[in-house]
Amino acid sequence: MRTQVAIVGAGPAGLLLSHLLHTRGIDSVVLESRDRSYVERRQRAGLLEQGTADILRDSGVGGRLDREGLVHEGLELRFGGAGHRIPLTELTGRTVTVYAQTEIVKDLIAERLSAGGDLRFESEVVAVDPSAPSVTFRKDGRTHTLDCDVIAGCDGFHGVCRPAVPTLRTFERDYPYGWLGILADVPPSTDELIYCHHERGFALHSLRSPTISRLYLQVPHDEDIARWPDERIWEELSTRFAVDSGWRLKDGQILEKGITPMRSFVAEPMRHDRLFLAGDAAHIVPPTGAKGLNLAVSDVTMLAEALVEMAEIGSEALLDSYSDNCLKRAWRAEHFSYWMTTLLHTDPSENAFGRRLRLSHLDYVVSSRAAATTLAENYVGFPL
């Protein structure tokens, strides 16, 4: 078997890369270890920078996004019993859109299959060869080899592609807390996301649709989900979100719940020979800044342009600069995500002095237009 680009992983990064290459006449094969049903059910982030939404629209897969996505022009920082709106669009001229990653994956799978794309689910990649580029995978009890010109490692943090880079350097930070996240069958209690700092810990009110809410609580990183029955979750959310204005949190049936640890991680370089890493295979951000999916989209957009340049005019200039260009953007997102995380969460090891510094910083962000603009322009994302 042979293709131009072998793509490992059918998450949003791998699927979007395959789609972008198809629109420019470049063949690819996508290999995914899980079955299609599992891939289409995975719950992940759901906040799109304007640049990400524009890429999906411009490439022809934004129809349902435009019909169902919730466009936001601001967000709320809540602390000290009061809410403070950050007017994202007024400060930057850009917006963000709430549209679940699960739906993006469904849209991309449907598009690739309708266009005759080669998506191979339940195909476990066991080895990649970056030098004489090929991918070895198992499917239906048999081992196969796929020869190619380039390998795109879009197989996430636990995939096989990153370990195939021999000169890899990694940088990471683990946080002493995690997020207890719920998906609830209840209309959102807000029109825009609420990021809340409370002495008991961080809370986030997000949205999935006009009838479904997504909410999060800061908990210890090793917390046992069994300690959080539904009643306790709603009580704690109401306590942390409470404001003097009388605003009330709506509660309802919890459809899903789980605990996610928080980590910052970057691998350098993102290329070795004919293997190129993208998305979570190369970098992980804590979810506070909503950058993980958006970084993956920017990675594969740059990789697609580089591969098109190589195919059309024989130049590898963009391929040679791919890692540096992606890492520059990744480190900016890492810093913003770290800043948002440490600003809004309660550190269990922190003393009273540190807590007062955090409140002072929050007050500065909501009272200074310059500080609010810094938050806003990072949050809505920088153009590619």
Side-chain angles (χ1 to χ4, degrees):
M1 291 180 287
R2 179 169 179 78
T3 188
Q4 289 174 278
V5 182
I7 301 173
V8 185
L15 291 168
L16 180 59
L17 177 61
S18 179
H19 170 61
L20 294 174
L21 294 175
H22 169 72
T23 64
R24 305 293 289 273
I26 297 177
D27 294 330
S28 67
V29 173
V30 180
L31 301 170
E32 167 59 46
S33 62
R34 303 282 192 166
D35 62 42
R36 178 180 175 180
S37 176
Y38 178 91
V39 171
E40 291 186 332
R41 292 197 315 268
R42 281 187 293 207
Q43 292 293 329
R44 294 291 188 271
L47 189 86
L48 311 184
E49 298 174 356
Q50 180 166 325
T52 296
D54 289 344
I55 288 165
L56 295 172
R57 293 188 186 103
D58 293 345
S59 65
V61 288
R64 201 157 66 93
L65 164 66
D66 285 334
R67 293 192 303 271
E68 301 177 15
L70 306 176
V71 178
H72 288 185
E73 297 184 352
L75 62 83
E76 180 182 323
L77 292 183
R78 186 174 290 191
F79 61 96
H84 309 267
R85 185 173 187 268
I86 304 296
L88 301 173
T89 304
E90 176 187 322
L91 294 170
T92 68
R94 297 165 72 80
T95 63
V96 294
T97 302
V98 174
Y99 188 66
Q101 177 174 313
T102 308
E103 306 310 314
I104 295 174
V105 167
K106 292 177 184 176
D107 294 343
L108 287 167
I109 288 176
E111 185 284 329
R112 294 304 300 121
L113 292 178
S114 69
D118 195 341
L119 307 184
R120 304 191 184 195
F121 297 100
E122 299 179 84
S123 299
E124 180 189 6
V125 173
V126 294
V128 297
D129 184 346
S131 300
S134 65
V135 176
T136 303
F137 66 98
R138 294 195 187 103
K139 183 174 176 62
D140 299 328
R142 298 179 60 189
T143 299
H144 309 267
T145 298
L146 175 64
D147 295 319
C148 54
D149 299 322
V150 167
I151 304 168
C154 306
D155 52 344
F157 185 78
H158 299 289
V160 301
C161 288
R162 188 176 66 249
V165 180
T167 57
L168 201 69
R169 295 172 294 163
T170 59
F171 308 84
E172 56 190 310
R173 177 191 180 97
D174 291 322
Y175 296 84
Y177 34 73
W179 277 10
L180 190 164
I182 66 168
L183 193 68
D185 186 12
V186 59
S189 305
T190 177
D191 295 325
E192 297 176 337
L193 274 69
I194 302 173
Y195 288 79
C196 178
H197 170 76
H198 189 275
E199 61 183 8
R200 296 172 65 91
F202 169 77
L204 171 63
H205 192 325
S206 185
L207 310 84
R208 278 297 177 264
S209 75
T211 60
I212 300 293
S213 298
R214 187 78 160 150
L215 301 104
Y216 301 90
L217 284 169
Q218 175 188 342
V219 295
H221 69 98
D222 56 354
E223 183 65 295
D224 181 0
I225 192 67
R227 298 185 63 246
W228 289 87
D230 294 1
E231 297 78 8
R232 183 187 178 192
I233 292 173
W234 287 119
E235 180 180 353
E236 188 65 24
L237 284 166
S238 295
T239 297
R240 297 190 193 183
F241 282 121
V243 286
D244 298 336
S245 65
W247 178 92
R248 291 291 181 269
L249 177 69
K250 301 172 187 175
D251 61 19
Q253 180 187 7
I254 294 178
L255 304 174
E256 298 178 9
K257 60 182 173 181
I259 294 178
T260 303
M262 303 185 73
R263 167 189 290 147
S264 297
F265 175 88
V266 180
E268 298 182 356
M270 290 173 59
R271 174 191 184 176
H272 174 64
D273 212 335
R274 312 309 285 179
L275 168 64
F276 297 82
L277 305 179
D280 287 358
H283 37 65
I284 299 287
V285 291
T288 323
K291 294 301 169 193
L293 171 62
N294 295 291
L295 274 181
V297 169
S298 67
D299 286 349
V300 298
T301 300
M302 287 191 274
L303 182 55
E305 287 301 316
L307 292 171
V308 168
E309 181 186 73
M310 179 181 71
E312 292 184 348
I313 65 174
S315 170
E316 296 197 9
L318 285 179
L319 281 178
D320 291 339
S321 62
Y322 168 77
S323 180
D324 288 341
N325 290 339
C326 289
L327 285 169
K328 182 177 181 179
R329 192 177 185 89
W331 277 112
R332 174 87 300 274
E334 290 284 354
H335 180 265
F336 175 67
S337 300
Y338 163 82
W339 177 77
M340 283 280 283
T341 299
T342 54
L343 178 65
L344 291 164
H345 288 70
T346 301
D347 188 336
S349 65
E350 193 171 53
N351 59 22
F353 181 80
R355 291 191 289 273
R356 292 301 294 270
L357 285 178
R358 179 177 289 103
L359 289 172
S360 175
H361 196 163
L362 281 165
D363 186 62
Y364 171 62
V365 170
V366 301
S367 60
S368 163
R369 186 176 179 87
T373 300
T374 295
L375 187 157
E377 68 177 2
N378 281 273
Y379 193 81
V380 302
F382 297 97
L384 286 177

